[in-house]
Amino acid sequence: YVANASIGTIEGFPIPTAAFTSLTGTTTTLGATPSAIAATPKGTFLYVATLQGSVVVYSIGTNGALTLGNNGSAVTSTINPTWITVDPSGNWLFLVSSSSPQVLVFQINSSTGVLTQSSQGTVALSTGNPTQVFVTPNNQYVYIGLGAGGLDGFALNTSTGALTGKVNLAPRISGGSSDNAIAADNNSAYLFVGEAGSGIRVLTIGAGGALNEVSGSPFTSQLGPRS
């Protein structure tokens, strides 16, 4: 699924064997400007955040067609949402916005897709402009890019959705650089951080989510990686 901000639509495509071909009936008009999008791992629900502040849920049909859920009402709302992520279990949704250094944690109703804020609710972040939330494939850690603020990391309690043990992870960056993009390998052994002005930092993921930079990192890029 692709969010088209300029025309306010969501377009669905099958995973291609040769070329991308739009699926019949999967162009969805939002009536708003999408700013972030995330699906549950089993392909049951699609969440779409808009610049206007609402987050809506769609159920995903067997042919990929989208049906608006929650009787058309938003499942939550926040100012200027910039990124939403669903954890690998499909039980928790994390949301950040450009308006405040915090992450919101919601439990996903597996039957309806409706969101309920976790008992922890809002988790304060270090000073910065949240750019991305990333959950490691082993579902143990959550990392959040903070632009010029660097990177925050948390341990994830998969039963409660609680984020604990916050650390603002080294290296802290300066000189106009910003941590914008985060990824990991499938074994959750390495974290890759796209850092404007520096390139790609590669760090090992240790106990408690601690990070240690590998030799030779950052690997220089002439670009400002964003995703």
Side-chain angles (χ1 to χ4, degrees):
Y1 294 96
V2 179
N4 301 307
S6 62
I7 57 175
T9 64
I10 299 294
E11 186 78 16
F13 299 87
I15 300 300
T17 54
F20 278 110
T21 303
S22 178
L23 286 168
T24 301
T26 57
T27 298
T28 302
T29 300
L30 300 172
T33 304
S35 59
I37 187 171
T40 52
K42 293 182 179 180
T44 306
F45 300 111
L46 183 76
Y47 294 91
V48 181
T50 70
L51 289 180
Q52 289 74 10
S54 65
V55 178
V56 296
V57 63
Y58 293 89
S59 60
I60 302 174
T62 55
N63 65 343
L66 301 178
T67 302
L68 186 61
N70 199 32
N71 296 315
S73 298
V75 288
T76 191
S77 60
T78 190
I79 301 172
N80 300 322
T82 55
W83 198 281
I84 50 178
T85 295
V86 177
D87 81 313
S89 75
N91 292 324
W92 302 100
L93 182 143
F94 305 92
L95 182 152
V96 293
S97 83
S98 60
S99 65
S100 179
Q102 60 184 15
V103 57
L104 306 178
V105 183
F106 299 91
Q107 187 168 25
I108 297 172
N109 184 306
S110 60
S111 298
T112 65
V114 169
L115 302 180
T116 302
Q117 199 159 19
S118 73
S119 56
Q120 189 180 26
T122 300
V123 181
L125 301 173
S126 301
T127 300
N129 182 23
T131 57
Q132 182 179 345
V133 185
F134 179 80
V135 186
T136 54
N138 64 7
N139 218 24
Q140 292 185 9
Y141 306 113
V142 175
Y143 296 100
I144 300 165
L146 297 172
L151 193 76
D152 271 356
F154 298 87
L156 170 62
N157 184 319
T158 56
S159 297
T160 66
L163 301 180
T164 58
K166 184 188 82 170
V167 287
N168 188 243
L169 296 159
R172 290 300 300 270
I173 56 178
S174 60
S177 296
S178 60
D179 284 359
N180 299 319
I182 312 168
D185 67 302
N186 287 343
N187 294 323
S188 302
Y190 298 97
L191 195 75
F192 306 91
V193 181
E195 189 172 285
S198 300
I200 306 295
R201 292 194 185 273
V202 182
L203 308 102
T204 58
I205 301 175
L211 299 181
N212 291 289
E213 197 162 5
V214 305
S215 178
S217 174
F219 299 95
T220 303
S221 168
Q222 297 300 315
L223 304 175
R226 300 293 300 182
S227 184

